[in-house]
Tab-separated table of all heavy atoms in Angstrom:
chain	number	residue	atom	x	y	z
A	236	GLU	N	132.521	114.872	28.189
A	236	GLU	CA	132.904	114.154	29.416
A	236	GLU	C	132.079	112.880	29.591
A	236	GLU	O	132.591	111.828	29.985
A	236	GLU	CB	132.716	115.048	30.650
A	236	GLU	CG	133.597	116.281	30.675
A	236	GLU	CD	132.919	117.499	30.104
A	236	GLU	OE1	131.975	117.348	29.309
A	236	GLU	OE2	133.337	118.613	30.452
A	237	TYR	N	130.797	112.996	29.283
A	237	TYR	CA	129.912	111.832	29.448
A	237	TYR	C	130.330	110.693	28.527
A	237	TYR	O	130.386	109.525	28.941
A	237	TYR	CB	128.469	112.238	29.174
A	237	TYR	CG	127.460	111.186	29.603
A	237	TYR	CD1	127.189	110.971	30.953
A	237	TYR	CD2	126.801	110.404	28.665
A	237	TYR	CE1	126.278	110.015	31.361
A	237	TYR	CE2	125.881	109.437	29.059
A	237	TYR	CZ	125.626	109.247	30.401
A	237	TYR	OH	124.714	108.293	30.810
A	238	ARG	N	130.673	111.018	27.286
A	238	ARG	CA	131.093	109.973	26.343
A	238	ARG	C	132.395	109.332	26.798
A	238	ARG	O	132.576	108.109	26.678
A	238	ARG	CB	131.247	110.574	24.947
A	238	ARG	CG	129.901	110.863	24.273
A	238	ARG	CD	130.053	111.778	23.068
A	238	ARG	NE	130.941	111.212	22.076
A	238	ARG	CZ	131.549	111.937	21.123
A	238	ARG	NH1	131.366	113.242	21.082
A	238	ARG	NH2	132.329	111.359	20.245
A	239	LEU	N	133.320	110.149	27.315
A	239	LEU	CA	134.590	109.603	27.804
A	239	LEU	C	134.368	108.625	28.957
A	239	LEU	O	134.935	107.538	28.988
A	239	LEU	CB	135.509	110.740	28.265
A	239	LEU	CG	136.308	111.465	27.185
A	239	LEU	CD1	137.004	112.678	27.775
A	239	LEU	CD2	137.343	110.523	26.566
A	240	VAL	N	133.525	109.048	29.919
A	240	VAL	CA	133.251	108.176	31.070
A	240	VAL	C	132.613	106.869	30.600
A	240	VAL	O	132.971	105.779	31.052
A	240	VAL	CB	132.339	108.900	32.084
A	240	VAL	CG1	131.889	107.928	33.180
A	240	VAL	CG2	133.058	110.084	32.704
A	241	LYS	N	131.682	106.987	29.667
A	241	LYS	CA	130.970	105.786	29.197
A	241	LYS	C	131.921	104.809	28.499
A	241	LYS	O	131.838	103.586	28.679
A	241	LYS	CB	129.849	106.216	28.249
A	241	LYS	CG	128.722	105.201	28.143
A	241	LYS	CD	127.510	105.789	27.441
A	241	LYS	CE	126.414	104.736	27.376
A	241	LYS	NZ	125.244	105.229	26.630
A	242	LEU	N	132.847	105.358	27.713
A	242	LEU	CA	133.819	104.504	27.032
A	242	LEU	C	134.756	103.829	28.029
A	242	LEU	O	135.029	102.625	27.943
A	242	LEU	CB	134.638	105.332	26.041
A	242	LEU	CG	133.925	105.764	24.753
A	242	LEU	CD1	134.751	106.813	24.021
A	242	LEU	CD2	133.669	104.553	23.859
A	243	MET	N	135.258	104.601	28.987
A	243	MET	CA	136.213	104.071	29.958
A	243	MET	C	135.559	103.083	30.917
A	243	MET	O	136.200	102.166	31.426
A	243	MET	CB	136.836	105.219	30.751
A	243	MET	CG	137.653	106.193	29.908
A	243	MET	SD	139.182	105.472	29.334
A	243	MET	CE	140.100	105.403	30.858
A	244	ALA	N	134.271	103.283	31.176
A	244	ALA	CA	133.593	102.500	32.211
A	244	ALA	C	133.286	101.070	31.782
A	244	ALA	O	132.869	100.261	32.611
A	244	ALA	CB	132.296	103.199	32.614
A	245	LYS	N	133.503	100.743	30.521
A	245	LYS	CA	133.154	99.398	30.054
A	245	LYS	C	134.037	98.326	30.698
A	245	LYS	O	133.663	97.166	30.764
A	245	LYS	CB	133.261	99.340	28.533
A	245	LYS	CG	132.147	100.133	27.852
A	245	LYS	CD	132.180	100.010	26.346
A	245	LYS	CE	131.012	100.778	25.730
A	245	LYS	NZ	131.018	100.721	24.259
A	246	LYS	N	135.223	98.726	31.171
A	246	LYS	CA	136.133	97.756	31.781
A	246	LYS	C	136.426	98.093	33.241
A	246	LYS	O	137.299	97.487	33.841
A	246	LYS	CB	137.463	97.733	31.012
A	246	LYS	CG	137.331	97.437	29.538
A	246	LYS	CD	137.050	95.980	29.264
A	246	LYS	CE	137.079	95.695	27.771
A	246	LYS	NZ	136.784	94.274	27.472
A	247	ALA	N	135.717	99.083	33.802
A	247	ALA	CA	136.046	99.529	35.165
A	247	ALA	C	134.776	99.696	35.990
A	247	ALA	O	133.681	99.866	35.453
A	247	ALA	CB	136.809	100.850	35.118
A	248	ILE	N	134.950	99.644	37.300
A	248	ILE	CA	133.860	99.949	38.224
A	248	ILE	C	133.774	101.468	38.338
A	248	ILE	O	134.769	102.124	38.646
A	248	ILE	CB	134.113	99.314	39.602
A	248	ILE	CG1	134.117	97.790	39.460
A	248	ILE	CG2	133.069	99.772	40.621
A	248	ILE	CD1	134.576	97.055	40.694
A	249	THR	N	132.598	102.018	38.078
A	249	THR	CA	132.449	103.473	37.979
A	249	THR	C	131.541	104.004	39.081
A	249	THR	O	130.468	103.446	39.344
A	249	THR	CB	131.861	103.858	36.607
A	249	THR	OG1	132.707	103.331	35.587
A	249	THR	CG2	131.744	105.368	36.470
A	250	CYS	N	131.998	105.065	39.723
A	250	CYS	CA	131.202	105.739	40.750
A	250	CYS	C	131.154	107.229	40.420
A	250	CYS	O	132.181	107.834	40.130
A	250	CYS	CB	131.832	105.531	42.136
A	250	CYS	SG	131.036	106.493	43.440
A	251	VAL	N	129.956	107.794	40.417
A	251	VAL	CA	129.836	109.241	40.191
A	251	VAL	C	129.107	109.858	41.376
A	251	VAL	O	128.269	109.225	42.010
A	251	VAL	CB	129.082	109.570	38.877
A	251	VAL	CG1	129.762	108.891	37.697
A	251	VAL	CG2	127.615	109.204	38.944
A	252	VAL	N	129.462	111.097	41.674
A	252	VAL	CA	128.831	111.843	42.769
A	252	VAL	C	128.345	113.172	42.219
A	252	VAL	O	129.078	113.871	41.521
A	252	VAL	CB	129.818	112.096	43.935
A	252	VAL	CG1	129.131	112.868	45.049
A	252	VAL	CG2	130.384	110.790	44.455
A	253	GLY	N	127.124	113.516	42.527
A	253	GLY	CA	126.614	114.803	42.048
A	253	GLY	C	125.220	115.060	42.561
A	253	GLY	O	124.561	114.179	43.111
A	254	ASP	N	124.777	116.282	42.370
A	254	ASP	CA	123.450	116.698	42.814
A	254	ASP	C	122.725	117.334	41.634
A	254	ASP	O	123.052	118.456	41.238
A	254	ASP	CB	123.563	117.711	43.959
A	254	ASP	CG	122.203	118.142	44.489
A	254	ASP	OD1	121.177	117.671	43.957
A	254	ASP	OD2	122.164	118.952	45.448
A	255	PRO	N	121.746	116.645	41.034
A	255	PRO	CA	121.044	117.218	39.883
A	255	PRO	C	120.333	118.524	40.203
A	255	PRO	O	120.079	119.323	39.304
A	255	PRO	CB	120.042	116.119	39.492
A	255	PRO	CG	119.948	115.218	40.679
A	255	PRO	CD	121.256	115.296	41.372
A	256	ASP	N	120.041	118.752	41.481
A	256	ASP	CA	119.410	120.014	41.856
A	256	ASP	C	120.390	121.192	41.773
A	256	ASP	O	119.988	122.342	41.963
A	256	ASP	CB	118.843	119.930	43.283
A	256	ASP	CG	117.610	119.044	43.344
A	256	ASP	OD1	116.952	118.879	42.303
A	256	ASP	OD2	117.302	118.517	44.436
A	257	GLN	N	121.675	120.901	41.522
A	257	GLN	CA	122.662	121.969	41.411
A	257	GLN	C	123.277	122.044	40.010
A	257	GLN	O	124.378	122.550	39.833
A	257	GLN	CB	123.764	121.774	42.467
A	257	GLN	CG	123.252	121.902	43.891
A	257	GLN	CD	124.371	121.974	44.915
A	257	GLN	OE1	125.306	122.750	44.776
A	257	GLN	NE2	124.267	121.166	45.957
A	258	THR	N	122.544	121.570	39.009
A	258	THR	CA	122.997	121.726	37.629
A	258	THR	C	122.668	123.142	37.179
A	258	THR	O	121.518	123.457	36.869
A	258	THR	CB	122.311	120.707	36.704
A	258	THR	OG1	122.602	119.388	37.165
A	258	THR	CG2	122.809	120.853	35.272
A	259	ILE	N	123.682	124.014	37.134
A	259	ILE	CA	123.446	125.427	36.819
A	259	ILE	C	124.372	125.929	35.713
A	259	ILE	O	124.472	127.130	35.491
A	259	ILE	CB	123.624	126.306	38.075
A	259	ILE	CG1	125.040	126.174	38.640
A	259	ILE	CG2	122.589	125.969	39.128
A	259	ILE	CD1	125.355	127.137	39.792
A	260	TYR	N	125.027	124.981	35.013
A	260	TYR	CA	125.994	125.399	33.992
A	260	TYR	C	125.606	124.922	32.596
A	260	TYR	O	126.468	124.561	31.800
A	260	TYR	CB	127.391	124.884	34.346
A	260	TYR	CG	127.998	125.544	35.549
A	260	TYR	CD1	128.284	124.813	36.700
A	260	TYR	CD2	128.284	126.903	35.548
A	260	TYR	CE1	128.838	125.427	37.816
A	260	TYR	CE2	128.840	127.523	36.653
A	260	TYR	CZ	129.112	126.777	37.783
A	260	TYR	OH	129.662	127.386	38.882
A	261	SER	N	124.321	124.943	32.270
A	261	SER	CA	123.907	124.505	30.937
A	261	SER	C	124.531	125.377	29.854
A	261	SER	O	124.794	124.926	28.746
A	261	SER	CB	122.384	124.526	30.817
A	261	SER	OG	121.886	125.840	30.919
A	262	PHE	N	124.805	126.657	30.170
A	262	PHE	CA	125.417	127.543	29.177
A	262	PHE	C	126.847	127.127	28.868
A	262	PHE	O	127.432	127.585	27.880
A	262	PHE	CB	125.380	129.008	29.657
A	262	PHE	CG	126.168	129.290	30.901
A	262	PHE	CD1	127.473	129.736	30.821
A	262	PHE	CD2	125.604	129.114	32.150
A	262	PHE	CE1	128.210	129.996	31.972
A	262	PHE	CE2	126.323	129.378	33.307
A	262	PHE	CZ	127.636	129.817	33.220
A	263	ARG	N	127.437	126.246	29.699
A	263	ARG	CA	128.770	125.695	29.411
A	263	ARG	C	128.670	124.276	28.851
A	263	ARG	O	129.693	123.623	28.673
A	263	ARG	CB	129.612	125.658	30.684
A	263	ARG	CG	129.961	127.019	31.250
A	263	ARG	CD	130.810	126.847	32.495
A	263	ARG	NE	131.098	128.109	33.157
A	263	ARG	CZ	131.600	128.211	34.370
A	263	ARG	NH1	131.869	127.099	35.067
A	263	ARG	NH2	131.831	129.395	34.920
A	264	GLY	N	127.452	123.794	28.616
A	264	GLY	CA	127.282	122.468	28.034
A	264	GLY	C	126.826	121.403	28.999
A	264	GLY	O	126.604	120.250	28.602
A	265	ALA	N	126.668	121.721	30.286
A	265	ALA	CA	126.194	120.725	31.254
A	265	ALA	C	124.750	120.335	30.941
A	265	ALA	O	123.964	121.154	30.457
A	265	ALA	CB	126.284	121.281	32.673
A	266	ASP	N	124.418	119.083	31.195
A	266	ASP	CA	123.071	118.582	30.925
A	266	ASP	C	122.613	117.754	32.115
A	266	ASP	O	123.209	116.721	32.440
A	266	ASP	CB	123.074	117.717	29.656
A	266	ASP	CG	121.679	117.314	29.206
A	266	ASP	OD1	120.760	117.299	30.056
A	266	ASP	OD2	121.502	117.012	28.016
A	267	VAL	N	121.546	118.187	32.780
A	267	VAL	CA	121.060	117.520	33.985
A	267	VAL	C	120.635	116.085	33.705
A	267	VAL	O	120.661	115.225	34.598
A	267	VAL	CB	119.894	118.320	34.610
A	267	VAL	CG1	118.659	118.274	33.716
A	267	VAL	CG2	119.568	117.820	36.013
A	268	ASN	N	120.276	115.783	32.468
A	268	ASN	CA	119.776	114.438	32.148
A	268	ASN	C	120.861	113.373	32.252
A	268	ASN	O	120.545	112.197	32.421
A	268	ASN	CB	119.149	114.420	30.750
A	268	ASN	CG	117.871	115.234	30.698
A	268	ASN	OD1	116.929	114.961	31.432
A	268	ASN	ND2	117.850	116.256	29.853
A	269	TYR	N	122.132	113.758	32.151
A	269	TYR	CA	123.191	112.756	32.268
A	269	TYR	C	123.203	112.118	33.655
A	269	TYR	O	123.389	110.908	33.785
A	269	TYR	CB	124.559	113.384	31.970
A	269	TYR	CG	124.756	113.708	30.508
A	269	TYR	CD1	125.280	114.927	30.113
A	269	TYR	CD2	124.412	112.789	29.517
A	269	TYR	CE1	125.465	115.232	28.778
A	269	TYR	CE2	124.593	113.084	28.183
A	269	TYR	CZ	125.110	114.315	27.810
A	269	TYR	OH	125.283	114.604	26.485
A	270	ILE	N	122.999	112.904	34.696
A	270	ILE	CA	122.978	112.314	36.032
A	270	ILE	C	121.613	111.694	36.328
A	270	ILE	O	121.515	110.662	36.988
A	270	ILE	CB	123.368	113.349	37.113
A	270	ILE	CG1	123.547	112.643	38.472
A	270	ILE	CG2	122.374	114.481	37.223
A	270	ILE	CD1	124.216	113.513	39.525
A	271	LEU	N	120.544	112.290	35.795
A	271	LEU	CA	119.207	111.737	36.028
A	271	LEU	C	119.059	110.353	35.381
A	271	LEU	O	118.369	109.485	35.915
A	271	LEU	CB	118.139	112.685	35.476
A	271	LEU	CG	117.981	114.036	36.193
A	271	LEU	CD1	116.940	114.890	35.494
A	271	LEU	CD2	117.586	113.821	37.657
A	272	ASP	N	119.721	110.155	34.225
A	272	ASP	CA	119.577	108.890	33.490
A	272	ASP	C	120.765	107.953	33.688
A	272	ASP	O	120.910	106.964	32.960
A	272	ASP	CB	119.417	109.178	31.985
A	272	ASP	CG	118.137	109.942	31.679
A	272	ASP	OD1	117.193	109.854	32.485
A	272	ASP	OD2	118.086	110.626	30.629
A	273	PHE	N	121.604	108.256	34.666
A	273	PHE	CA	122.818	107.457	34.864
A	273	PHE	C	122.490	105.972	35.072
A	273	PHE	O	123.132	105.093	34.498
A	273	PHE	CB	123.604	107.986	36.061
A	273	PHE	CG	124.910	107.275	36.287
A	273	PHE	CD1	126.043	107.645	35.584
A	273	PHE	CD2	125.005	106.234	37.207
A	273	PHE	CE1	127.245	106.983	35.784
A	273	PHE	CE2	126.203	105.567	37.408
A	273	PHE	CZ	127.338	105.942	36.693
A	274	ASP	N	121.440	105.696	35.871
A	274	ASP	CA	121.123	104.293	36.179
A	274	ASP	C	120.586	103.540	34.966
A	274	ASP	O	120.585	102.304	34.948
A	274	ASP	CB	120.118	104.210	37.338
A	274	ASP	CG	118.842	104.961	37.056
A	274	ASP	OD1	118.826	105.773	36.113
A	274	ASP	OD2	117.852	104.746	37.782
A	275	LYS	N	120.155	104.275	33.934
A	275	LYS	CA	119.683	103.614	32.711
A	275	LYS	C	120.841	103.294	31.783
A	275	LYS	O	120.828	102.287	31.068
A	275	LYS	CB	118.674	104.510	31.984
A	275	LYS	CG	117.421	104.819	32.798
A	275	LYS	CD	116.561	105.841	32.075
A	275	LYS	CE	115.389	106.264	32.983
A	275	LYS	NZ	114.627	107.391	32.392
A	276	ASP	N	121.849	104.140	31.774
A	276	ASP	CA	122.983	103.959	30.862
A	276	ASP	C	124.094	103.098	31.452
A	276	ASP	O	124.934	102.572	30.716
A	276	ASP	CB	123.571	105.323	30.478
A	276	ASP	CG	122.612	106.138	29.614
A	276	ASP	OD1	121.646	105.545	29.107
A	276	ASP	OD2	122.826	107.349	29.460
A	277	PHE	N	124.135	102.978	32.785
A	277	PHE	CA	125.174	102.193	33.453
A	277	PHE	C	124.495	101.111	34.293
A	277	PHE	O	124.033	101.373	35.403
A	277	PHE	CB	126.043	103.090	34.345
A	277	PHE	CG	126.901	104.065	33.590
A	277	PHE	CD1	126.359	105.218	33.054
A	277	PHE	CD2	128.255	103.818	33.400
A	277	PHE	CE1	127.148	106.118	32.354
A	277	PHE	CE2	129.055	104.720	32.697
A	277	PHE	CZ	128.504	105.861	32.170
A	278	LYS	N	124.413	99.917	33.755
A	278	LYS	CA	123.740	98.825	34.466
A	278	LYS	C	124.725	97.699	34.678
A	278	LYS	O	125.556	97.423	33.806
A	278	LYS	CB	122.545	98.329	33.646
A	278	LYS	CG	121.439	99.357	33.503
A	278	LYS	CD	120.280	98.795	32.690
A	278	LYS	CE	119.148	99.818	32.572
A	278	LYS	NZ	118.036	99.318	31.769
A	279	PRO	N	124.623	96.979	35.825
A	279	PRO	CA	123.747	97.266	36.981
A	279	PRO	C	124.262	98.494	37.740
A	279	PRO	O	125.444	98.822	37.685
A	279	PRO	CB	123.866	96.003	37.827
A	279	PRO	CG	125.232	95.474	37.492
A	279	PRO	CD	125.461	95.804	36.045
């Protein structure tokens, strides 16, 4: 999902909503670092 959003976001204004304190699905592949590092990967 993260790769898809990153690819699509190159030509669009992107907004994400989430709470890193509620990342509880790592066993399904969720990774808290994607939301924690969002401001580094999507600039400005």
Side-chain angles (χ1 to χ4, degrees):
E236 296 94 337
Y237 192 73
R238 286 165 59 200
L239 278 172
V240 172
K241 204 168 181 183
L242 286 168
M243 297 289 289
K245 289 184 178 178
K246 304 285 186 181
I248 296 171
T249 303
C250 173
V251 304
V252 180
D254 182 359
D256 288 336
Q257 295 191 50
T258 301
I259 60 173
Y260 291 116
S261 65
F262 63 94
R263 294 181 185 167
D266 188 337
V267 68
N268 292 301
Y269 288 134
I270 189 168
L271 292 177
D272 296 336
F273 183 84
D274 57 345
K275 299 173 187 172
D276 292 346
F277 292 77
K278 294 181 179 179

